[in-house]
Amino acid sequence: MYDPTVARLTYRALLGRRRALILGALPMLLIVIAVAVRGLAGADDQTAADLLGGLALATMVPIIGVIAGTGAIGPEIDDGSVVYLLSKPIKRPTIIFTKLIVAIAVTMVFSAVPTLIAGFILNGNGQQVAVAYTVAALVASIAYAALFLLLGTVSRHAVVFGLVYALVWEALFGSLVPGARTLSVQQWSLAVAQKVSGGELVSSDVGLTTATVLLLAVTVLATWFAGQKLRSLTLAGEE
């Protein structure tokens, strides 16, 4: 289910100079802001939770997920080079699964690691805030990578649609509209973070069991559907 050659090509595509600069911009901004806040306001648990929840989890993680998830396959479909990959004796689910693993890894590195660093800068992991939001970023990275990888297989405008989802649904509706929170990857990951923190600084509108089931369901279904879409793309090319 994992092909090293496909993985190497995907890493190379995602971590090219221009895309790497884009991926690194938000994490650097988060750390710079964390340093500034710590210098101006000192260590404060509530401030740390607000910054990590509002900037890191609600904005940075989904945007990086968009870049990594759609970038893992979208450009190959757009420029037609995916035909070369599909002509090789590699099973279609293996291609999707390998690209998903790469997208997850890239999303985790560029989102969870900066979140942990920023958390320790802000309050030294007081009340487990840094670790809790890092776990949330790790969990969210998996679901986002699967969702946006799927989006990259079904639309030529995957980045645009992904950013609309990340910035409008997750960052805006997911934070303000009660009903939308239940259908938010952010809230599902927060449920896991709440369990890790064990305090009141991290909270979610979704129960842990429900969040876990939804995270697994979305990841599995999105991966399966992306594989089916890639299979139909092969058939269309053969016809």
Side-chain angles (χ1 to χ4, degrees):
M1 291 297 291
Y2 181 84
D3 187 274
T5 302
V6 174
R8 184 173 64 255
L9 293 173
T10 306
Y11 275 119
R12 185 180 301 173
L14 285 179
L15 300 178
R17 181 176 300 178
R18 185 177 65 176
R19 198 178 295 273
L21 289 175
I22 297 174
L23 284 169
L26 277 176
M28 288 301 300
L29 178 62
L30 173 65
I31 293 174
V32 169
I33 292 176
V35 171
V37 170
R38 178 62 185 266
L40 294 173
D44 181 79
D45 295 341
Q46 186 62 59
T47 300
D50 291 342
L51 182 59
L52 294 179
L55 178 57
L57 191 62
T59 304
M60 182 185 72
V61 181
I63 289 179
I64 291 176
V66 169
I67 298 171
T70 60
I73 196 169
E76 292 177 310
I77 294 178
D78 291 342
D79 62 20
S81 61
V82 72
V83 175
Y84 171 80
L85 181 61
L86 296 179
S87 67
K88 300 300 180 181
I90 306 173
K91 294 181 179 179
R92 306 305 175 251
T94 297
I95 295 174
I96 288 296
F97 185 76
T98 301
K99 288 182 173 294
L100 174 63
I101 295 299
V102 173
I104 289 173
V106 171
T107 306
M108 285 182 171
V109 169
F110 282 91
S111 60
V113 174
T115 298
L116 182 63
I117 295 172
F120 273 96
I121 292 173
L122 287 165
N123 75 333
N125 195 38
Q127 298 194 50
Q128 295 291 308
V129 169
V131 171
Y133 277 103
T134 299
V135 171
L138 289 171
V139 171
S141 294
I142 299 172
Y144 283 134
L147 279 173
F148 297 131
L149 180 65
L150 169 62
L151 195 58
T153 65
V154 301
S155 174
R156 291 183 176 273
H157 307 288
V159 174
V160 175
F161 292 140
L163 288 175
V164 169
Y165 173 84
L167 298 177
V168 177
W169 183 265
E170 289 282 358
L172 184 60
F173 287 98
S175 300
L176 301 177
V177 182
R181 295 173 186 171
T182 307
L183 300 176
S184 167
V185 174
Q186 176 190 345
Q187 290 296 322
W188 302 342
S189 60
L190 279 173
V192 180
Q194 183 179 11
K195 178 66 175 179
V196 173
S197 69
E200 298 180 354
L201 288 177
V202 184
S203 61
S204 173
D205 292 338
V206 183
L208 179 60
T209 301
T210 301
T212 303
V213 171
L214 289 173
L215 283 167
L216 289 172
V218 165
T219 302
V220 171
L221 289 175
T223 304
W224 175 82
F225 195 78
Q228 294 300 111
K229 176 61 179 177
L230 198 62
R231 192 188 304 274
S232 68
L233 182 65
T234 304
L235 293 176
E238 291 173 350
E239 292 173 358

